[in-house]
Amino acid sequence: MFRMKCFSLSIMAFSLLIAGNLNAQSINLNSGNLEAVNVRISFEKMNSKNAVKAIKDSSIKEFDEPTFIKIKNLNFQNGTIEVKVLSKLLKNVPAFARGFIGIAFRINDDNTKYESIYLRPTNARAGDQVRRNHSIQYYSYPDYKFDRLRKESPEKYESYSDMEMGKWITMRIEVKGSVAKLFLGNNTQPSLIVTDLKHGADISGSIGLWVDIGTEGYFSDLKINTEKY
């Protein structure tokens, strides 16, 4: 009887594992799945990887705006977003360009509300420690951009992690309710933890591959797991 119970429990655990993985998917980054929102996109090979490239529309002058490649027909609330990103600086960029690149998530239909975590790769190896501390950034559109968050809650929504310009970086964001955690590469500990996503725990929406001024951004190997927590 004991062996039968153990066997039954094992089958149940296996079934739950399979069910939990049914919502995991790799997203095909082709033109049919993507919508350009205030960016120019193209498809190129970068460092032996097929990638989609994004450059911010020069008519958008403000920072932390909806400038991303939006994934069509996707509704994400909780789960994991993983993507490889690579950024380069465009020619003749302003001095404050940092290679801004990242992920927007829970984007509403008209792109007026979303959450985002992005990287500033040039800061990670700067000689100035303050710049290093600003290597990773969370913001929430439209009301909580980086400058407001830095002024009202210094150091809370930014952090340091090592990374390089011009090399592929794996970003993984785990989202659960009002909490988001960013992991880089194979790190088992998060590089940034946000415990109070500004739009709250209950909203959902699409995912965007985000860039800002001065960035030539590349994205590859997008994987999304919408497993319920």
Side-chain angles (χ1 to χ4, degrees):
M1 180 68 72
F2 178 74
R3 287 184 178 179
M4 289 183 65
K5 285 184 177 179
C6 289
F7 181 76
S8 298
L9 288 173
S10 297
I11 292 295
M12 184 182 298
F14 181 76
S15 299
L16 288 173
L17 178 62
I18 295 297
N21 286 333
L22 286 178
N23 293 322
Q25 57 181 316
S26 295
I27 305 298
N28 194 345
L29 297 178
N30 59 38
S31 57
N33 288 337
L34 308 177
E35 175 189 352
V37 179
N38 299 317
V39 294
R40 293 184 287 112
I41 68 174
S42 58
F43 299 90
E44 302 185 15
K45 199 151 195 170
M46 173 55 60
N47 291 1
S48 302
K49 277 190 164 299
N50 293 321
V52 58
K53 174 182 173 182
I55 297 175
K56 179 179 178 178
D57 190 320
S58 60
S59 66
I60 309 299
K61 303 300 183 184
E62 294 187 15
F63 308 124
D64 293 359
E65 289 286 308
T67 51
F68 44 67
I69 302 170
K70 188 176 183 179
I71 311 303
K72 294 180 180 178
N73 303 315
L74 179 67
N75 189 50
F76 175 90
Q77 182 178 18
N78 294 318
T80 303
I81 307 160
E82 181 178 312
V83 67
K84 289 181 171 60
V85 303
L86 183 153
S87 62
K88 296 183 175 183
L89 294 181
L90 295 167
K91 294 180 180 179
N92 303 317
V93 296
F96 56 78
R98 299 288 184 258
F100 310 103
I101 192 166
I103 301 170
F105 55 98
R106 294 179 172 175
I107 306 167
N108 67 353
D109 289 343
D110 61 0
N111 308 317
T112 58
K113 289 183 180 181
Y114 62 87
E115 315 283 7
S116 178
I117 297 177
Y118 65 87
L119 311 178
R120 301 184 182 100
T122 64
N123 283 0
R125 297 194 174 184
D128 177 82
Q129 186 58 48
V130 174
R131 274 191 61 185
R132 283 180 173 242
N133 295 343
H134 298 162
S135 299
I136 300 169
Q137 177 76 55
Y138 160 76
Y139 82 97
S140 182
Y141 187 82
D143 295 326
Y144 291 90
K145 296 185 178 184
F146 87 92
D147 48 355
R148 177 180 177 179
L149 294 173
R150 187 178 292 178
K151 180 179 179 180
E152 296 182 358
S153 304
E155 301 181 15
K156 183 176 180 180
Y157 299 101
E158 297 179 80
S159 66
Y160 166 77
S161 190
D162 188 36
M163 65 191 80
E164 285 188 75
M165 286 283 292
K167 292 192 176 181
W168 286 109
I169 303 166
T170 299
M171 295 182 69
R172 188 175 84 256
I173 300 177
E174 296 181 357
V175 184
K176 180 181 179 181
S178 59
V179 178
K181 299 178 182 180
L182 170 70
F183 298 80
L184 294 182
N186 295 319
N187 293 339
T188 58
Q189 290 297 313
S191 298
L192 180 69
I193 301 174
V194 179
T195 58
D196 58 340
L197 293 172
K198 299 305 182 184
H199 290 301
D202 298 326
I203 70 165
S204 62
S206 190
I207 289 167
L209 309 175
W210 183 92
V211 294
D212 210 330
I213 189 168
T215 299
E216 183 178 295
Y218 297 85
F219 302 86
S220 185
D221 298 346
L222 176 62
K223 301 173 185 175
I224 299 170
N225 189 330
T226 56
E227 179 182 355
K228 298 296 183 183
Y229 285 89

